Amino acid sequence: MMDGSSAQDVQETCGKQVSHGALNIEVGAGSFFLQHKSGETVHIRNLGTPTVEIVNQVPSEPTLALALDGGRGVMSYGIRAISEDPIDVGASVALFSHEPLAKTLDSQKSNMACPIPPKKGGAEQVFIEGYLRRAQPSLACEPLANPSHLAGHIAYVDRGECTFVQKILNAQAAGALGVIVGNVNAPRGEEEAHFMMGGDGTDRIVGVPAVMISKRSATRLLAKLQKAADDGTEMDVQMTRTVHSAIAEESTSTMVTTGREAGASPGQIVEQTLKAKDGKVDSFHYHTLGAWDVHVQESNNVFLLSVQAV
């Protein structure tokens, strides 16, 4: 099953356009894309698992993606290129990477900034740091031709032509510690888009963390990688996770609220409330500046979502 404009993508996606007024929608498992009259969009990818991703995007602005992990809280992911002119870009973690990611963060080999879960929100964790190396062929749909180049490093691959699982397993077989997938075939107008990658319906197990970055971010990252190669140097990158609201340890109930942020821009989440009970997310409610009110409620291990365009 292909990962591009695949049958899987089509079957999981339900689109809604909002031209005026308000929209309320409650959904179970699926992938739902809503667009507000202001141009802001929200893409909710809910595959009926303990993790759901909520992506907000405003045209020409970086995408804001939050992963709601039913057992840990609300978090976002990113890639940092370390150089004289460093860059930070947002990312979406693969659905099938949550367990290997947890193992990586718990490992003594990892570069951890804080334990899992952090006792306070807003803590950044660097879960992998290493040189970025481009896979050959770049689509990584077949066994890679440069395993000695990738072993022990972070592999970059392009989206397209085969499943995400296949790409990442090929990079894993070549010895990569982690994988970055560039959303290079995103259509015009979605150059900032990235999303949580789903599985392929098989029982194949991915053992390394993997994230997706947008087409625009991939272009920036690869330009830096090429410059480093031209200079005869390597480019060091970090794969990061920031926990915004964590479920408190040794507690039967948790509520974490953040207030309205000064200077917020359209699409930015300005208020959020996480409620948890017995170590699991019970509900998550957030507002973006001017466009969306989103409520996520857990029910029998599936998140139910209520979205209102305002």
Side-chain angles (χ1 to χ4, degrees):
M1 191 172 291
M2 305 303 178
D3 76 52
S5 299
S6 67
Q8 183 180 16
D9 284 343
V10 172
Q11 291 171 0
E12 291 176 350
T13 302
C14 170
K16 289 283 186 180
Q17 301 292 321
V18 184
S19 59
H20 63 277
L23 172 75
N24 290 284
I25 182 170
E26 281 197 356
V27 301
S31 182
F32 295 82
F33 178 84
L34 309 174
Q35 184 168 25
H36 189 263
K37 59 184 178 180
S38 67
E40 180 179 345
T41 63
V42 60
H43 183 182
I44 302 170
R45 192 164 175 82
N46 177 19
L47 303 182
T49 70
T51 305
V52 62
E53 183 180 60
I54 308 169
V55 180
N56 272 92
Q57 186 177 0
V58 174
S60 301
E61 295 289 334
T63 295
L64 173 64
L66 293 178
L68 178 57
D69 186 321
R72 293 189 174 91
V74 182
M75 54 207 69
S76 60
Y77 294 82
I79 299 295
R80 175 176 300 123
I82 303 172
S83 64
E84 292 182 1
D85 182 24
I87 60 171
D88 286 275
V89 300
S92 296
V93 71
L95 176 66
F96 46 79
S97 278
H98 284 272
E99 287 308 311
L101 174 58
K103 291 177 182 177
T104 299
L105 283 163
D106 285 332
S107 169
Q108 294 298 320
K109 298 179 181 178
S110 66
N111 179 3
M112 282 197 301
C114 52
I116 292 183
K119 296 183 182 299
K120 296 181 180 179
E124 181 184 276
Q125 300 164 313
V126 177
F127 56 91
I128 292 182
E129 180 172 353
Y131 291 142
L132 182 65
R133 300 280 178 86
R134 192 164 189 175
Q136 297 296 335
S138 63
L139 286 169
C141 292
E142 58 192 68
L144 300 181
N146 58 341
S148 61
H149 186 62
L150 297 175
H153 302 290
I154 298 172
Y156 171 87
V157 305
D158 288 327
R159 182 188 177 194
E161 294 193 11
C162 64
T163 66
F164 298 120
V165 169
Q166 185 62 58
K167 295 174 185 293
I168 294 159
L169 285 176
N170 284 335
Q172 176 180 307
L177 297 179
V179 183
I180 300 171
V181 179
N183 190 17
V184 294
N185 57 2
R188 187 174 180 179
E190 297 184 21
E191 291 86 354
E192 295 283 2
H194 53 79
F195 57 86
M196 183 172 63
M197 298 175 285
D200 63 356
T202 71
D203 58 1
R204 295 186 295 177
I205 297 175
V206 173
V208 297
V211 300
M212 176 188 283
I213 61 175
S214 71
K215 181 178 182 178
R216 185 160 294 160
S217 295
T219 299
R220 294 175 65 197
L221 204 63
L222 292 177
K224 276 195 167 292
L225 183 61
Q226 184 60 54
K227 184 179 185 303
D230 292 343
D231 294 341
T233 61
E234 297 273 11
M235 187 173 77
D236 195 22
V237 297
Q238 295 176 335
M239 301 174 78
T240 67
R241 182 177 83 169
T242 299
V243 179
H244 302 280
S245 299
I247 298 174
E249 295 174 330
E250 300 178 359
S251 174
T252 57
S253 63
T254 301
M255 186 169 75
V256 181
T257 302
T258 62
R260 187 171 295 273
E261 298 180 13
S265 59
Q268 184 174 345
I269 292 177
V270 291
E271 293 179 296
Q272 61 177 335
T273 301
L274 171 74
K275 294 182 180 179
K277 185 177 181 181
D278 298 326
K280 291 180 59 179
V281 170
D282 183 66
S283 66
F284 177 58
H285 187 194
Y286 78 84
H287 303 268
T288 67
L289 187 62
W292 294 108
D293 184 282
V294 179
H295 187 78
V296 186
Q297 181 73 45
E298 194 278 336
S299 176
N300 296 322
N301 294 318
V302 174
F303 287 109
L304 304 177
L305 309 155
S306 177
V307 183
Q308 181 173 339
V310 295

